[in-house]
Amino acid sequence: MTGVAADSRGKVSLKIGLCLSGGGFRASFYALGVLRYLAEGNLLKDVVSVSAVSGGSIIAAVLADRGDALAAEGWTLDALLEHVDQPFRQVVTTRNLRNRWLARALGARLRGRRVGRGFILGEVLADYLYQTRHVRDLPSLPQVILTATDLASGRAFRIARDFIGSYAFGYVEPAPPSVELGFAAAASAAVPALFAPVSLRTGGLALHDAPPVLSLGDGGIYDNLGLEWFQGWHSGRPSSAVRPDFLIVANAGGILHRTSHPYGGLRALWRSKDVQYSQTTALRIRWFVGDLLGDRERGVYLGIALDPRQYLLPDGTPIHPHQYEGALPSALVTPLAGLRTDLDRFCPEEAGLLSYHAYWSTHARIASLYPELAVAAPKWRAFATVAPEDAERLRRLLVSGAKRLRRPRRRPRRALG
């Protein structure tokens, strides 16, 4: 892999692009760990572009929403924790936004309100997570691109402050003033069989040859990493698109486990979706890692299912143990990757473990491949030493949290991390 560019004074210069994958709130909390590491390393200010999908889009929209406050305070770790991390964590660990969406959707139906369930999801996200109403009013940097899938054309449909559109219908620059941030996040997170597609009326949008209404589903249907935005640069991008020179791909998509029982009905439909997501994602990962190994790209790949202790250098040798000394116990990695991906409440420990795992995964990758960018002494060590009995309790907590829909349970005794 090639090194990182430096300016004439020898200072490292970067334009970082982030890919934040789908995976519900599991992906959102994982992305927060990556952002925390970048902020601690004074690299968050160098993030120029964020391509996000589904759960990654939900937290990317929070990042964009608070961009002015972060910039005013120098993109520091304290600023990130105050304006992005803590507010999001407070909402999602104390409220079940999935149930609030269901209740509001039912209420709208009973009142005869003619709006889709996907649109109501956007209202709930906006009410609890975002301060900026319209996409066009977001700060200019970082450029956050929220990706949905247009079910009619089978193409990615992207919404950003500076543009809206797709390869099929072209891009309009800037985004029309009517497009709301909650709507864009909901469209990106409209997972099949869980959330209804979000309808976008195209009248007045000036898209080329678009039908009157687009049905937008989860961006992960097309690309669950949000990676194609950067890989397909030469296939046509709007003039306002910002191109990075260093990519960090954060994949919280989890694991497709082998099973032994037969499938039928709705279970078969859901399993088919999981297989499709898994295989298309695996192809994009191989493409990206091949580009890294061939020096055609610079950056790192992070996978929630990967234990930093197993990371290898390009020549196949293990990384130095010092580079993962604070990582989670290995026994917690697989159950952590199996946490549910819907939008219900996460307990503080689940949220903390997800972010902590991403934080140390980011450090292990960057420290081993680009040491000039790494934090010299990572500060977050809440789970660096976990007693065996605590590790087993946390493992059981994560295993119980894997269910897609589950009964409410008592709040945990304490919140770590």
Side-chain angles (χ1 to χ4, degrees), residues 30 304 306-309 324-334 336-337 349-350 352-361 382-386 391 394 398:
Y30 189 77
I304 191 173
L306 301 177
D307 185 347
R309 293 171 179 80
Y324 55 74
E325 61 180 356
L328 281 181
S330 297
L332 299 182
V333 174
T334 296
L336 189 69
E349 284 176 311
E350 291 170 330
L353 289 165
L354 284 164
S355 296
Y356 187 85
H357 178 44
Y359 173 93
W360 273 96
S361 296
F383 299 98
T385 55
V386 180
L394 290 171
L398 295 175

PDB file of all heavy atoms in Angstrom, residues 30 304 306-309 324-334 336-337 349-350 352-361 382-386 391 394 398:
ATOM      1  N   TYR A  30     -21.810   1.735  15.691  1.00  0.00           N
ATOM      2  CA  TYR A  30     -20.495   1.348  15.173  1.00  0.00           C
ATOM      3  C   TYR A  30     -19.829   2.543  14.489  1.00  0.00           C
ATOM      4  O   TYR A  30     -18.645   2.822  14.717  1.00  0.00           O
ATOM      5  CB  TYR A  30     -20.654   0.184  14.200  1.00  0.00           C
ATOM      6  CG  TYR A  30     -19.354  -0.453  13.758  1.00  0.00           C
ATOM      7  CD1 TYR A  30     -18.663  -1.324  14.594  1.00  0.00           C
ATOM      8  CD2 TYR A  30     -18.826  -0.198  12.500  1.00  0.00           C
ATOM      9  CE1 TYR A  30     -17.472  -1.922  14.187  1.00  0.00           C
ATOM     10  CE2 TYR A  30     -17.636  -0.792  12.087  1.00  0.00           C
ATOM     11  CZ  TYR A  30     -16.966  -1.650  12.932  1.00  0.00           C
ATOM     12  OH  TYR A  30     -15.787  -2.227  12.526  1.00  0.00           O
ATOM     13  N   ILE A 304     -17.385  -5.210  11.317  1.00  0.00           N
ATOM     14  CA  ILE A 304     -17.823  -5.452  12.690  1.00  0.00           C
ATOM     15  C   ILE A 304     -17.574  -6.895  13.119  1.00  0.00           C
ATOM     16  O   ILE A 304     -17.356  -7.176  14.295  1.00  0.00           O
ATOM     17  CB  ILE A 304     -19.311  -5.084  12.839  1.00  0.00           C
ATOM     18  CG1 ILE A 304     -19.715  -5.069  14.310  1.00  0.00           C
ATOM     19  CG2 ILE A 304     -20.198  -6.027  12.037  1.00  0.00           C
ATOM     20  CD1 ILE A 304     -21.123  -4.544  14.551  1.00  0.00           C
ATOM     21  N   LEU A 306     -15.023  -8.699  12.402  1.00  0.00           N
ATOM     22  CA  LEU A 306     -13.595  -9.006  12.427  1.00  0.00           C
ATOM     23  C   LEU A 306     -12.979  -8.629  13.775  1.00  0.00           C
ATOM     24  O   LEU A 306     -13.199  -7.536  14.292  1.00  0.00           O
ATOM     25  CB  LEU A 306     -12.875  -8.244  11.309  1.00  0.00           C
ATOM     26  CG  LEU A 306     -13.368  -8.527   9.887  1.00  0.00           C
ATOM     27  CD1 LEU A 306     -12.615  -7.657   8.887  1.00  0.00           C
ATOM     28  CD2 LEU A 306     -13.199 -10.004   9.546  1.00  0.00           C
ATOM     29  N   ASP A 307     -12.193  -9.518  14.310  1.00  0.00           N
ATOM     30  CA  ASP A 307     -11.473  -9.291  15.558  1.00  0.00           C
ATOM     31  C   ASP A 307     -10.129  -8.636  15.224  1.00  0.00           C
ATOM     32  O   ASP A 307      -9.346  -9.193  14.447  1.00  0.00           O
ATOM     33  CB  ASP A 307     -11.238 -10.627  16.256  1.00  0.00           C
ATOM     34  CG  ASP A 307     -10.589 -10.486  17.623  1.00  0.00           C
ATOM     35  OD1 ASP A 307     -10.087  -9.394  17.954  1.00  0.00           O
ATOM     36  OD2 ASP A 307     -10.581 -11.487  18.371  1.00  0.00           O
ATOM     37  N   PRO A 308      -9.823  -7.448  15.780  1.00  0.00           N
ATOM     38  CA  PRO A 308      -8.532  -6.810  15.486  1.00  0.00           C
ATOM     39  C   PRO A 308      -7.326  -7.702  15.769  1.00  0.00           C
ATOM     40  O   PRO A 308      -6.269  -7.537  15.146  1.00  0.00           O
ATOM     41  CB  PRO A 308      -8.534  -5.580  16.395  1.00  0.00           C
ATOM     42  CG  PRO A 308      -9.975  -5.267  16.597  1.00  0.00           C
ATOM     43  CD  PRO A 308     -10.669  -6.599  16.629  1.00  0.00           C
ATOM     44  N   ARG A 309      -7.477  -8.661  16.668  1.00  0.00           N
ATOM     45  CA  ARG A 309      -6.367  -9.566  16.960  1.00  0.00           C
ATOM     46  C   ARG A 309      -6.017 -10.451  15.768  1.00  0.00           C
ATOM     47  O   ARG A 309      -4.933 -11.038  15.729  1.00  0.00           O
ATOM     48  CB  ARG A 309      -6.721 -10.442  18.159  1.00  0.00           C
ATOM     49  CG  ARG A 309      -6.836  -9.670  19.463  1.00  0.00           C
ATOM     50  CD  ARG A 309      -7.402 -10.540  20.578  1.00  0.00           C
ATOM     51  NE  ARG A 309      -7.494  -9.804  21.826  1.00  0.00           N
ATOM     52  CZ  ARG A 309      -8.473  -8.952  22.118  1.00  0.00           C
ATOM     53  NH1 ARG A 309      -9.438  -8.754  21.233  1.00  0.00           N
ATOM     54  NH2 ARG A 309      -8.488  -8.304  23.262  1.00  0.00           N
ATOM     55  N   TYR A 324      -3.615  -3.553  19.149  1.00  0.00           N
ATOM     56  CA  TYR A 324      -4.969  -3.939  19.548  1.00  0.00           C
ATOM     57  C   TYR A 324      -5.050  -4.179  21.052  1.00  0.00           C
ATOM     58  O   TYR A 324      -5.966  -4.843  21.543  1.00  0.00           O
ATOM     59  CB  TYR A 324      -5.451  -5.181  18.799  1.00  0.00           C
ATOM     60  CG  TYR A 324      -4.568  -6.400  18.892  1.00  0.00           C
ATOM     61  CD1 TYR A 324      -4.488  -7.167  20.054  1.00  0.00           C
ATOM     62  CD2 TYR A 324      -3.810  -6.819  17.791  1.00  0.00           C
ATOM     63  CE1 TYR A 324      -3.690  -8.288  20.139  1.00  0.00           C
ATOM     64  CE2 TYR A 324      -3.001  -7.945  17.858  1.00  0.00           C
ATOM     65  CZ  TYR A 324      -2.950  -8.678  19.032  1.00  0.00           C
ATOM     66  OH  TYR A 324      -2.147  -9.796  19.103  1.00  0.00           O
ATOM     67  N   GLU A 325      -4.152  -3.600  21.823  1.00  0.00           N
ATOM     68  CA  GLU A 325      -4.059  -3.910  23.248  1.00  0.00           C
ATOM     69  C   GLU A 325      -5.327  -3.541  24.024  1.00  0.00           C
ATOM     70  O   GLU A 325      -5.622  -4.146  25.059  1.00  0.00           O
ATOM     71  CB  GLU A 325      -2.862  -3.182  23.861  1.00  0.00           C
ATOM     72  CG  GLU A 325      -2.947  -1.667  23.773  1.00  0.00           C
ATOM     73  CD  GLU A 325      -1.740  -0.982  24.391  1.00  0.00           C
ATOM     74  OE1 GLU A 325      -0.895  -1.703  24.953  1.00  0.00           O
ATOM     75  OE2 GLU A 325      -1.649   0.258  24.317  1.00  0.00           O
ATOM     76  N   GLY A 326      -6.092  -2.570  23.539  1.00  0.00           N
ATOM     77  CA  GLY A 326      -7.310  -2.188  24.250  1.00  0.00           C
ATOM     78  C   GLY A 326      -8.577  -2.754  23.664  1.00  0.00           C
ATOM     79  O   GLY A 326      -9.681  -2.382  24.080  1.00  0.00           O
ATOM     80  N   ALA A 327      -8.466  -3.645  22.685  1.00  0.00           N
ATOM     81  CA  ALA A 327      -9.641  -4.156  21.969  1.00  0.00           C
ATOM     82  C   ALA A 327     -10.537  -5.003  22.874  1.00  0.00           C
ATOM     83  O   ALA A 327     -10.112  -5.496  23.925  1.00  0.00           O
ATOM     84  CB  ALA A 327      -9.205  -4.982  20.768  1.00  0.00           C
ATOM     85  N   LEU A 328     -11.773  -5.173  22.446  1.00  0.00           N
ATOM     86  CA  LEU A 328     -12.718  -6.012  23.178  1.00  0.00           C
ATOM     87  C   LEU A 328     -12.204  -7.447  23.291  1.00  0.00           C
ATOM     88  O   LEU A 328     -11.478  -7.917  22.411  1.00  0.00           O
ATOM     89  CB  LEU A 328     -14.064  -6.059  22.444  1.00  0.00           C
ATOM     90  CG  LEU A 328     -15.024  -4.892  22.576  1.00  0.00           C
ATOM     91  CD1 LEU A 328     -16.283  -5.196  21.777  1.00  0.00           C
ATOM     92  CD2 LEU A 328     -15.362  -4.610  24.020  1.00  0.00           C
ATOM     93  N   PRO A 329     -12.602  -8.168  24.319  1.00  0.00           N
ATOM     94  CA  PRO A 329     -12.306  -9.605  24.357  1.00  0.00           C
ATOM     95  C   PRO A 329     -12.853 -10.291  23.103  1.00  0.00           C
ATOM     96  O   PRO A 329     -13.949  -9.973  22.626  1.00  0.00           O
ATOM     97  CB  PRO A 329     -13.052 -10.081  25.612  1.00  0.00           C
ATOM     98  CG  PRO A 329     -13.150  -8.871  26.481  1.00  0.00           C
ATOM     99  CD  PRO A 329     -13.291  -7.711  25.540  1.00  0.00           C
ATOM    100  N   SER A 330     -12.098 -11.200  22.565  1.00  0.00           N
ATOM    101  CA  SER A 330     -12.489 -11.865  21.315  1.00  0.00           C
ATOM    102  C   SER A 330     -13.851 -12.540  21.418  1.00  0.00           C
ATOM    103  O   SER A 330     -14.600 -12.601  20.439  1.00  0.00           O
ATOM    104  CB  SER A 330     -11.428 -12.900  20.924  1.00  0.00           C
ATOM    105  OG  SER A 330     -10.190 -12.277  20.673  1.00  0.00           O
ATOM    106  N   ALA A 331     -14.203 -13.033  22.594  1.00  0.00           N
ATOM    107  CA  ALA A 331     -15.463 -13.749  22.762  1.00  0.00           C
ATOM    108  C   ALA A 331     -16.679 -12.850  22.540  1.00  0.00           C
ATOM    109  O   ALA A 331     -17.788 -13.362  22.352  1.00  0.00           O
ATOM    110  CB  ALA A 331     -15.535 -14.363  24.157  1.00  0.00           C
ATOM    111  N   LEU A 332     -16.493 -11.523  22.538  1.00  0.00           N
ATOM    112  CA  LEU A 332     -17.620 -10.611  22.376  1.00  0.00           C
ATOM    113  C   LEU A 332     -17.829 -10.177  20.935  1.00  0.00           C
ATOM    114  O   LEU A 332     -18.871  -9.607  20.602  1.00  0.00           O
ATOM    115  CB  LEU A 332     -17.418  -9.368  23.242  1.00  0.00           C
ATOM    116  CG  LEU A 332     -17.316  -9.593  24.749  1.00  0.00           C
ATOM    117  CD1 LEU A 332     -17.165  -8.259  25.469  1.00  0.00           C
ATOM    118  CD2 LEU A 332     -18.522 -10.346  25.270  1.00  0.00           C
ATOM    119  N   VAL A 333     -16.858 -10.442  20.060  1.00  0.00           N
ATOM    120  CA  VAL A 333     -16.933  -9.906  18.698  1.00  0.00           C
ATOM    121  C   VAL A 333     -18.071 -10.524  17.901  1.00  0.00           C
ATOM    122  O   VAL A 333     -18.891  -9.819  17.301  1.00  0.00           O
ATOM    123  CB  VAL A 333     -15.585 -10.090  17.970  1.00  0.00           C
ATOM    124  CG1 VAL A 333     -15.714  -9.673  16.507  1.00  0.00           C
ATOM    125  CG2 VAL A 333     -14.497  -9.266  18.664  1.00  0.00           C
ATOM    126  N   THR A 334     -18.156 -11.844  17.867  1.00  0.00           N
ATOM    127  CA  THR A 334     -19.202 -12.490  17.069  1.00  0.00           C
ATOM    128  C   THR A 334     -20.603 -12.163  17.568  1.00  0.00           C
ATOM    129  O   THR A 334     -21.472 -11.787  16.766  1.00  0.00           O
ATOM    130  CB  THR A 334     -18.980 -14.006  17.027  1.00  0.00           C
ATOM    131  OG1 THR A 334     -17.741 -14.275  16.348  1.00  0.00           O
ATOM    132  CG2 THR A 334     -20.100 -14.699  16.271  1.00  0.00           C
ATOM    133  N   LEU A 336     -21.531  -9.548  19.155  1.00  0.00           N
ATOM    134  CA  LEU A 336     -21.738  -8.123  18.902  1.00  0.00           C
ATOM    135  C   LEU A 336     -22.176  -7.909  17.459  1.00  0.00           C
ATOM    136  O   LEU A 336     -23.085  -7.124  17.176  1.00  0.00           O
ATOM    137  CB  LEU A 336     -20.438  -7.354  19.177  1.00  0.00           C
ATOM    138  CG  LEU A 336     -20.536  -5.829  19.171  1.00  0.00           C
ATOM    139  CD1 LEU A 336     -21.344  -5.331  20.357  1.00  0.00           C
ATOM    140  CD2 LEU A 336     -19.143  -5.216  19.185  1.00  0.00           C
ATOM    141  N   ALA A 337     -21.542  -8.630  16.536  1.00  0.00           N
ATOM    142  CA  ALA A 337     -21.905  -8.516  15.118  1.00  0.00           C
ATOM    143  C   ALA A 337     -23.287  -9.079  14.838  1.00  0.00           C
ATOM    144  O   ALA A 337     -23.870  -8.794  13.788  1.00  0.00           O
ATOM    145  CB  ALA A 337     -20.869  -9.235  14.257  1.00  0.00           C
ATOM    146  N   GLU A 349     -25.140  -0.523  27.405  1.00  0.00           N
ATOM    147  CA  GLU A 349     -23.997  -1.419  27.239  1.00  0.00           C
ATOM    148  C   GLU A 349     -23.853  -1.882  25.797  1.00  0.00           C
ATOM    149  O   GLU A 349     -22.747  -1.964  25.262  1.00  0.00           O
ATOM    150  CB  GLU A 349     -24.124  -2.610  28.192  1.00  0.00           C
ATOM    151  CG  GLU A 349     -23.775  -2.238  29.623  1.00  0.00           C
ATOM    152  CD  GLU A 349     -23.983  -3.384  30.578  1.00  0.00           C
ATOM    153  OE1 GLU A 349     -25.074  -3.998  30.523  1.00  0.00           O
ATOM    154  OE2 GLU A 349     -23.081  -3.651  31.379  1.00  0.00           O
ATOM    155  N   GLU A 350     -24.968  -2.209  25.133  1.00  0.00           N
ATOM    156  CA  GLU A 350     -24.911  -2.580  23.723  1.00  0.00           C
ATOM    157  C   GLU A 350     -24.313  -1.439  22.904  1.00  0.00           C
ATOM    158  O   GLU A 350     -23.430  -1.644  22.058  1.00  0.00           O
ATOM    159  CB  GLU A 350     -26.308  -2.911  23.204  1.00  0.00           C
ATOM    160  CG  GLU A 350     -26.895  -4.182  23.773  1.00  0.00           C
ATOM    161  CD  GLU A 350     -28.365  -4.342  23.412  1.00  0.00           C
ATOM    162  OE1 GLU A 350     -29.057  -3.319  23.250  1.00  0.00           O
ATOM    163  OE2 GLU A 350     -28.816  -5.505  23.293  1.00  0.00           O
ATOM    164  N   GLY A 352     -22.437   1.079  23.940  1.00  0.00           N
ATOM    165  CA  GLY A 352     -21.037   1.313  24.276  1.00  0.00           C
ATOM    166  C   GLY A 352     -20.102   0.289  23.663  1.00  0.00           C
ATOM    167  O   GLY A 352     -19.029   0.626  23.152  1.00  0.00           O
ATOM    168  N   LEU A 353     -20.498  -0.973  23.691  1.00  0.00           N
ATOM    169  CA  LEU A 353     -19.665  -2.033  23.117  1.00  0.00           C
ATOM    170  C   LEU A 353     -19.493  -1.860  21.610  1.00  0.00           C
ATOM    171  O   LEU A 353     -18.403  -2.068  21.067  1.00  0.00           O
ATOM    172  CB  LEU A 353     -20.265  -3.402  23.428  1.00  0.00           C
ATOM    173  CG  LEU A 353     -20.170  -3.865  24.885  1.00  0.00           C
ATOM    174  CD1 LEU A 353     -21.110  -5.032  25.144  1.00  0.00           C
ATOM    175  CD2 LEU A 353     -18.733  -4.238  25.248  1.00  0.00           C
ATOM    176  N   LEU A 354     -20.566  -1.505  20.919  1.00  0.00           N
ATOM    177  CA  LEU A 354     -20.484  -1.303  19.469  1.00  0.00           C
ATOM    178  C   LEU A 354     -19.497  -0.191  19.124  1.00  0.00           C
ATOM    179  O   LEU A 354     -18.631  -0.355  18.253  1.00  0.00           O
ATOM    180  CB  LEU A 354     -21.870  -0.964  18.912  1.00  0.00           C
ATOM    181  CG  LEU A 354     -22.844  -2.129  18.781  1.00  0.00           C
ATOM    182  CD1 LEU A 354     -24.273  -1.622  18.609  1.00  0.00           C
ATOM    183  CD2 LEU A 354     -22.456  -3.019  17.598  1.00  0.00           C
ATOM    184  N   SER A 355     -19.623   0.938  19.784  1.00  0.00           N
ATOM    185  CA  SER A 355     -18.734   2.061  19.484  1.00  0.00           C
ATOM    186  C   SER A 355     -17.292   1.749  19.884  1.00  0.00           C
ATOM    187  O   SER A 355     -16.349   2.100  19.170  1.00  0.00           O
ATOM    188  CB  SER A 355     -19.224   3.320  20.205  1.00  0.00           C
ATOM    189  OG  SER A 355     -20.491   3.715  19.736  1.00  0.00           O
ATOM    190  N   TYR A 356     -17.131   1.092  21.010  1.00  0.00           N
ATOM    191  CA  TYR A 356     -15.782   0.763  21.476  1.00  0.00           C
ATOM    192  C   TYR A 356     -15.092  -0.205  20.513  1.00  0.00           C
ATOM    193  O   TYR A 356     -13.902  -0.049  20.199  1.00  0.00           O
ATOM    194  CB  TYR A 356     -15.870   0.150  22.871  1.00  0.00           C
ATOM    195  CG  TYR A 356     -14.532  -0.073  23.531  1.00  0.00           C
ATOM    196  CD1 TYR A 356     -13.907   0.950  24.233  1.00  0.00           C
ATOM    197  CD2 TYR A 356     -13.897  -1.310  23.473  1.00  0.00           C
ATOM    198  CE1 TYR A 356     -12.679   0.744  24.855  1.00  0.00           C
ATOM    199  CE2 TYR A 356     -12.680  -1.531  24.089  1.00  0.00           C
ATOM    200  CZ  TYR A 356     -12.076  -0.490  24.779  1.00  0.00           C
ATOM    201  OH  TYR A 356     -10.849  -0.702  25.378  1.00  0.00           O
ATOM    202  N   HIS A 357     -15.824  -1.188  20.041  1.00  0.00           N
ATOM    203  CA  HIS A 357     -15.251  -2.142  19.083  1.00  0.00           C
ATOM    204  C   HIS A 357     -14.809  -1.426  17.808  1.00  0.00           C
ATOM    205  O   HIS A 357     -13.720  -1.691  17.277  1.00  0.00           O
ATOM    206  CB  HIS A 357     -16.289  -3.212  18.770  1.00  0.00           C
ATOM    207  CG  HIS A 357     -15.857  -4.230  17.767  1.00  0.00           C
ATOM    208  ND1 HIS A 357     -14.604  -4.833  17.783  1.00  0.00           N
ATOM    209  CD2 HIS A 357     -16.512  -4.766  16.686  1.00  0.00           C
ATOM    210  CE1 HIS A 357     -14.518  -5.697  16.784  1.00  0.00           C
ATOM    211  NE2 HIS A 357     -15.651  -5.666  16.098  1.00  0.00           N
ATOM    212  N   ALA A 358     -15.629  -0.500  17.314  1.00  0.00           N
ATOM    213  CA  ALA A 358     -15.258   0.237  16.110  1.00  0.00           C
ATOM    214  C   ALA A 358     -14.052   1.147  16.359  1.00  0.00           C
ATOM    215  O   ALA A 358     -13.179   1.287  15.495  1.00  0.00           O
ATOM    216  CB  ALA A 358     -16.444   1.073  15.636  1.00  0.00           C
ATOM    217  N   TYR A 359     -14.006   1.762  17.521  1.00  0.00           N
ATOM    218  CA  TYR A 359     -12.891   2.652  17.880  1.00  0.00           C
ATOM    219  C   TYR A 359     -11.561   1.896  17.825  1.00  0.00           C
ATOM    220  O   TYR A 359     -10.595   2.333  17.180  1.00  0.00           O
ATOM    221  CB  TYR A 359     -13.158   3.202  19.274  1.00  0.00           C
ATOM    222  CG  TYR A 359     -12.047   4.028  19.905  1.00  0.00           C
ATOM    223  CD1 TYR A 359     -12.037   5.405  19.774  1.00  0.00           C
ATOM    224  CD2 TYR A 359     -11.057   3.418  20.667  1.00  0.00           C
ATOM    225  CE1 TYR A 359     -11.041   6.169  20.385  1.00  0.00           C
ATOM    226  CE2 TYR A 359     -10.060   4.161  21.277  1.00  0.00           C
ATOM    227  CZ  TYR A 359     -10.057   5.548  21.135  1.00  0.00           C
ATOM    228  OH  TYR A 359      -9.066   6.292  21.740  1.00  0.00           O
ATOM    229  N   TRP A 360     -11.515   0.729  18.469  1.00  0.00           N
ATOM    230  CA  TRP A 360     -10.255  -0.017  18.496  1.00  0.00           C
ATOM    231  C   TRP A 360      -9.969  -0.724  17.169  1.00  0.00           C
ATOM    232  O   TRP A 360      -8.811  -0.927  16.801  1.00  0.00           O
ATOM    233  CB  TRP A 360     -10.238  -0.995  19.678  1.00  0.00           C
ATOM    234  CG  TRP A 360      -9.733  -0.297  20.901  1.00  0.00           C
ATOM    235  CD1 TRP A 360     -10.472   0.286  21.881  1.00  0.00           C
ATOM    236  CD2 TRP A 360      -8.371  -0.045  21.225  1.00  0.00           C
ATOM    237  NE1 TRP A 360      -9.653   0.883  22.803  1.00  0.00           N
ATOM    238  CE2 TRP A 360      -8.350   0.695  22.431  1.00  0.00           C
ATOM    239  CE3 TRP A 360      -7.157  -0.363  20.624  1.00  0.00           C
ATOM    240  CZ2 TRP A 360      -7.173   1.120  23.046  1.00  0.00           C
ATOM    241  CZ3 TRP A 360      -5.981   0.045  21.224  1.00  0.00           C
ATOM    242  CH2 TRP A 360      -5.986   0.779  22.416  1.00  0.00           C
ATOM    243  N   SER A 361     -11.008  -1.076  16.432  1.00  0.00           N
ATOM    244  CA  SER A 361     -10.792  -1.631  15.096  1.00  0.00           C
ATOM    245  C   SER A 361     -10.163  -0.579  14.188  1.00  0.00           C
ATOM    246  O   SER A 361      -9.253  -0.877  13.396  1.00  0.00           O
ATOM    247  CB  SER A 361     -12.121  -2.117  14.504  1.00  0.00           C
ATOM    248  OG  SER A 361     -12.657  -3.182  15.257  1.00  0.00           O
ATOM    249  N   ALA A 382     -12.324   1.724  28.218  1.00  0.00           N
ATOM    250  CA  ALA A 382     -13.363   1.267  29.146  1.00  0.00           C
ATOM    251  C   ALA A 382     -13.473  -0.253  29.207  1.00  0.00           C
ATOM    252  O   ALA A 382     -13.838  -0.812  30.240  1.00  0.00           O
ATOM    253  CB  ALA A 382     -14.703   1.874  28.743  1.00  0.00           C
ATOM    254  N   PHE A 383     -13.186  -0.934  28.097  1.00  0.00           N
ATOM    255  CA  PHE A 383     -13.298  -2.393  28.058  1.00  0.00           C
ATOM    256  C   PHE A 383     -11.938  -3.052  27.812  1.00  0.00           C
ATOM    257  O   PHE A 383     -11.874  -4.187  27.356  1.00  0.00           O
ATOM    258  CB  PHE A 383     -14.276  -2.816  26.957  1.00  0.00           C
ATOM    259  CG  PHE A 383     -15.676  -2.299  27.151  1.00  0.00           C
ATOM    260  CD1 PHE A 383     -16.102  -1.156  26.489  1.00  0.00           C
ATOM    261  CD2 PHE A 383     -16.557  -2.949  27.998  1.00  0.00           C
ATOM    262  CE1 PHE A 383     -17.392  -0.676  26.655  1.00  0.00           C
ATOM    263  CE2 PHE A 383     -17.851  -2.476  28.174  1.00  0.00           C
ATOM    264  CZ  PHE A 383     -18.274  -1.336  27.503  1.00  0.00           C
ATOM    265  N   ALA A 384     -10.867  -2.333  28.109  1.00  0.00           N
ATOM    266  CA  ALA A 384      -9.529  -2.876  27.852  1.00  0.00           C
ATOM    267  C   ALA A 384      -9.231  -4.073  28.743  1.00  0.00           C
ATOM    268  O   ALA A 384      -8.545  -5.010  28.336  1.00  0.00           O
ATOM    269  CB  ALA A 384      -8.480  -1.788  28.046  1.00  0.00           C
ATOM    270  N   THR A 385      -9.720  -4.036  29.953  1.00  0.00           N
ATOM    271  CA  THR A 385      -9.564  -5.175  30.872  1.00  0.00           C
ATOM    272  C   THR A 385     -10.945  -5.532  31.405  1.00  0.00           C
ATOM    273  O   THR A 385     -11.552  -4.748  32.135  1.00  0.00           O
ATOM    274  CB  THR A 385      -8.615  -4.828  32.035  1.00  0.00           C
ATOM    275  OG1 THR A 385      -9.079  -3.639  32.693  1.00  0.00           O
ATOM    276  CG2 THR A 385      -7.191  -4.593  31.508  1.00  0.00           C
ATOM    277  N   VAL A 386     -11.411  -6.694  31.030  1.00  0.00           N
ATOM    278  CA  VAL A 386     -12.732  -7.156  31.448  1.00  0.00           C
ATOM    279  C   VAL A 386     -12.567  -8.475  32.181  1.00  0.00           C
ATOM    280  O   VAL A 386     -11.989  -9.426  31.642  1.00  0.00           O
ATOM    281  CB  VAL A 386     -13.669  -7.332  30.237  1.00  0.00           C
ATOM    282  CG1 VAL A 386     -15.051  -7.809  30.694  1.00  0.00           C
ATOM    283  CG2 VAL A 386     -13.796  -6.033  29.450  1.00  0.00           C
ATOM    284  N   ALA A 391     -17.143 -10.487  31.230  1.00  0.00           N
ATOM    285  CA  ALA A 391     -17.158 -10.830  29.809  1.00  0.00           C
ATOM    286  C   ALA A 391     -18.285 -11.806  29.493  1.00  0.00           C
ATOM    287  O   ALA A 391     -18.975 -11.674  28.472  1.00  0.00           O
ATOM    288  CB  ALA A 391     -15.811 -11.424  29.401  1.00  0.00           C
ATOM    289  N   LEU A 394     -21.615  -9.939  29.601  1.00  0.00           N
ATOM    290  CA  LEU A 394     -21.771  -9.126  28.394  1.00  0.00           C
ATOM    291  C   LEU A 394     -22.082 -10.006  27.187  1.00  0.00           C
ATOM    292  O   LEU A 394     -22.883  -9.642  26.330  1.00  0.00           O
ATOM    293  CB  LEU A 394     -20.510  -8.311  28.148  1.00  0.00           C
ATOM    294  CG  LEU A 394     -20.247  -7.186  29.146  1.00  0.00           C
ATOM    295  CD1 LEU A 394     -18.852  -6.588  28.920  1.00  0.00           C
ATOM    296  CD2 LEU A 394     -21.301  -6.092  29.051  1.00  0.00           C
ATOM    297  N   LEU A 398     -25.394  -9.696  24.807  1.00  0.00           N
ATOM    298  CA  LEU A 398     -25.370  -9.530  23.351  1.00  0.00           C
ATOM    299  C   LEU A 398     -26.142 -10.634  22.647  1.00  0.00           C
ATOM    300  O   LEU A 398     -26.837 -10.381  21.658  1.00  0.00           O
ATOM    301  CB  LEU A 398     -23.920  -9.494  22.866  1.00  0.00           C
ATOM    302  CG  LEU A 398     -23.084  -8.307  23.350  1.00  0.00           C
ATOM    303  CD1 LEU A 398     -21.639  -8.452  22.897  1.00  0.00           C
ATOM    304  CD2 LEU A 398     -23.663  -6.987  22.861  1.00  0.00           C
TER     305      LEU A 398
END
